[in-house]
Amino acid sequence: MPVTGIIAEYNPYHNGHSYQLEALRRSHPDTRVIIAMSGSFTQRGTSVVLDKWTRARLAVQGGCDLVLELPAVFALRSAQDFARGGVRLFSRLGIVDSLAFGTELMEPDMLTNTAAIIDTEEVQQAIRHEMRQGTSYAAAICHVLSLFTGIEEAALRQPNTILAIEYLRALQAINTAWQKPGGANAPILQPIPIQRKSTAYHDDALHAEISSANALRLALNRKTPDWDAIARNVSPESVEALQRAKNAGLPQMERLFLPILARLHTIHLQSLRSIYGINEGLEHRILRAAQTAKSLDGLVDAISSKRYPKSRIQRTMLHLLLSLQKSQIQQMDHVGPAYARVLAFNRHGRELLRIMRRTSRIPVITKLSQYLTSQDCLSEPETLQPCQQQLVIDIRAAHLRNLTLPKMPAIGQDFLTSPFYLASGN
């Protein structure tokens, strides 16, 4: 049975995501689809509109077979780490044989060749040179790859093209490792690029049928959303979930400003330097900005620069609140995703779970309390197993997202919420 993995955020799930599934099933009609989905925050360091359980349910109702949570320690990172985390998660399940992803640049050989040269010494030296000039890693890699491949830099700067290249880079690394003597006994993952349809990632206008997630979020944040326009872009189930979220109050990152400010005003300099993502003197820039900032947007803008783009600073502020240490991230990168946590599935997904319990090299978690207790969440990280450490970070991220809401949900949802099961349909 062929099984395809997709790494996603679904913030929110919309017609463009449904189109990707339909395109995948047209070219691979027999495949089953597993999603590795970020949980409480996006890769750019912002809160998701709908909680992970709701988004997973909507994805399964939209045609996915099984949704797993991509651990926050990988989901809340750079494009390279986000892609690597998802690919490593799929590789450990023992049943995934392909990875599908959307891209604006639909030339598979060009994408593959571009991914293949990133880790060559010549390219890495050029990237380091660009960064020494004050350029961010993302901008440096786009500029250097354009020079080495002839691809227009503007095309490489498209978010899904960058992710596509990082997916291929991660696939090449994991597939090479499997082929070495003594490598893991697992299927080689084949890439399946899918042409993105219609709108660009950052497009802020609603269209007739397929709009970007960014446009949908902007529409939701208006005082009176155009629900008819939104309904043309998402499923009826999604409209209902989004209306409930709007009525209850959408998450606002600004609500984390005072917790962040309190942390910055009370932390020791050496402790700040130990936080993941804070290096090269960035701690001084952060502390200076904290002295005069009046809002989270103002704080992030004051810290951001050509070298430190806004998305990186937004992630770093969350790393600060989560107390993610550089040493801890280094260990997590060495270990990789340590579990497959189930959020939602259909009847095909149930069959996948049955097989995975035999083939997976990491625990398949449907009941959190079997692997973690509330007391573990209060323990020092070094006293916990890697699986437990990663789960604790997921739970803390969920608590942080709750703080972005106007009314705090009950604590302990991760322990109390069962995976959603769709018994009918595909």
Side-chain angles (χ1 to χ4, degrees):
M1 174 175 59
V3 179
T4 300
I6 295 176
I7 305 167
E9 292 186 323
Y10 292 158
N11 184 38
Y13 186 89
H14 57 70
N15 290 352
H17 301 128
S18 295
Y19 167 80
Q20 183 188 43
L21 283 177
E22 291 164 5
L24 171 63
R25 288 199 158 109
R26 280 196 300 271
S27 59
H28 298 74
D30 298 325
T31 197
R32 300 287 182 254
V33 179
I34 301 179
I35 308 298
M37 187 187 76
S38 54
S40 300
F41 291 93
T42 69
Q43 188 261 333
R44 293 183 61 80
T46 58
S47 175
V48 292
V49 173
L50 301 172
D51 67 75
K52 59 190 175 187
W53 309 103
T54 302
R55 285 162 37 244
R57 170 177 63 81
L58 294 172
V60 167
Q61 289 173 331
C64 304
D65 296 309
L66 171 64
V67 181
L68 308 174
E69 181 172 5
L70 178 62
V73 74
F74 302 105
L76 194 51
R77 300 273 296 283
S78 68
Q80 177 184 352
D81 298 308
F82 178 87
R84 186 183 298 163
V87 168
R88 292 178 76 184
L89 174 59
F90 287 140
S91 75
R92 294 176 174 194
L93 301 181
I95 60 171
V96 179
D97 50 46
S98 59
L99 181 78
F101 50 86
T103 176
E104 295 89 353
L105 185 62
M106 193 54 185
E107 295 186 36
D109 289 343
M110 184 179 292
L111 287 171
T112 301
N113 294 337
T114 301
I117 69 169
I118 293 178
D119 292 308
T120 62
E121 184 57 30
E122 190 177 8
V123 169
Q124 286 297 309
Q125 283 184 359
I127 292 172
R128 288 192 292 269
H129 173 75
E130 289 288 323
M131 293 177 68
R132 283 195 294 270
Q133 309 307 309
T135 305
S136 70
Y137 175 77
I141 197 171
C142 288
H143 179 64
V144 170
L145 288 178
S146 177
L147 294 176
F148 276 79
T149 65
I151 301 173
E152 289 187 11
E153 193 169 338
L156 289 169
R157 284 182 179 272
Q158 294 294 326
N160 285 281
T161 296
I162 288 295
L163 266 177
I165 291 170
E166 291 294 355
Y167 289 145
L168 289 166
R169 184 183 181 187
L171 286 177
Q172 290 167 0
I174 202 75
N175 289 343
T176 299
W178 287 342
Q179 292 170 338
K180 290 180 179 178
N185 182 20
I188 299 295
L189 273 70
Q190 299 297 330
I192 305 177
I194 296 173
Q195 179 74 58
R196 277 180 59 84
K197 186 176 181 180
S198 297
T199 62
Y201 181 90
H202 292 300
D203 191 353
D204 60 5
L206 285 178
H207 298 280
E209 293 181 356
I210 295 182
S211 300
S212 70
N214 182 57
L216 287 166
R217 292 192 298 271
L218 289 173
L220 282 170
N221 276 292
R222 295 190 180 102
K223 184 176 181 180
T224 305
D226 185 344
W227 289 111
D228 288 338
I230 291 172
R232 289 193 290 271
N233 284 274
V234 301
S235 68
E237 293 86 359
S238 290
V239 172
E240 184 180 348
L242 292 170
Q243 287 177 331
R244 281 200 303 269
K246 179 67 175 180
N247 292 335
L250 296 174
Q252 300 293 336
M253 289 296 293
E254 195 60 43
R255 295 187 176 106
L256 292 180
F257 176 56
L258 290 182
I260 290 171
L261 212 57
R263 188 91 163 91
L264 290 174
H265 285 331
T266 56
I267 195 170
H268 296 293
L269 186 61
Q270 194 57 39
S271 297
L272 184 58
R273 286 175 178 149
S274 72
I275 297 297
Y276 178 75
I278 298 180
N279 48 28
E280 301 171 341
L282 181 59
E283 64 272 16
H284 299 294
R285 190 179 182 91
I286 291 172
L287 291 175
R288 283 197 303 271
Q291 299 303 312
T292 56
K294 303 299 182 184
S295 67
L296 182 56
D297 275 346
L299 177 66
V300 170
D301 286 343
I303 300 169
S304 301
S305 65
K306 179 182 177 182
R307 178 72 177 86
Y308 303 112
K310 186 174 181 178
S311 57
R312 172 175 170 175
I313 300 305
Q314 289 173 161
R315 290 194 301 267
T316 301
M317 293 300 100
L318 291 174
H319 297 159
L320 174 68
L321 290 180
L322 291 168
S323 296
L324 291 182
Q325 308 291 306
K326 293 173 183 174
S327 58
Q328 190 178 13
I329 295 294
Q330 185 177 20
Q331 181 197 22
M332 294 300 101
D333 284 345
H334 175 71
V335 171
Y339 51 83
R341 189 174 183 201
V342 180
L343 298 178
F345 58 101
N346 62 16
R347 58 188 181 87
H348 293 312
R350 183 171 62 180
E351 176 65 14
L352 292 174
L353 287 172
R354 187 183 66 79
I355 299 170
M356 281 165 47
R357 293 191 188 281
R358 298 196 313 268
T359 63
S360 179
R361 292 184 285 128
I362 52 178
V364 178
I365 300 178
T366 53
K367 190 174 182 181
L368 186 62
S369 60
Q370 293 178 341
Y371 296 86
L372 193 75
T373 67
S374 56
Q375 189 62 38
D376 291 329
C377 297
L378 304 176
S379 302
E380 292 295 326
E382 58 267 20
T383 67
L384 301 175
Q385 297 296 316
C387 172
Q388 294 173 312
Q389 287 190 45
Q390 292 182 22
L391 286 169
V392 168
I393 294 169
D394 289 346
I395 291 171
R396 289 177 178 171
H399 289 168
L400 279 186
R401 181 185 178 273
N402 287 346
L403 290 178
T404 70
L405 297 169
K407 184 177 179 181
M408 279 275 292
I411 296 295
Q413 291 172 306
D414 277 274
F415 288 98
L416 300 174
T417 308
S418 298
F420 171 78
Y421 173 54
L422 181 66
S424 60
N426 294 332

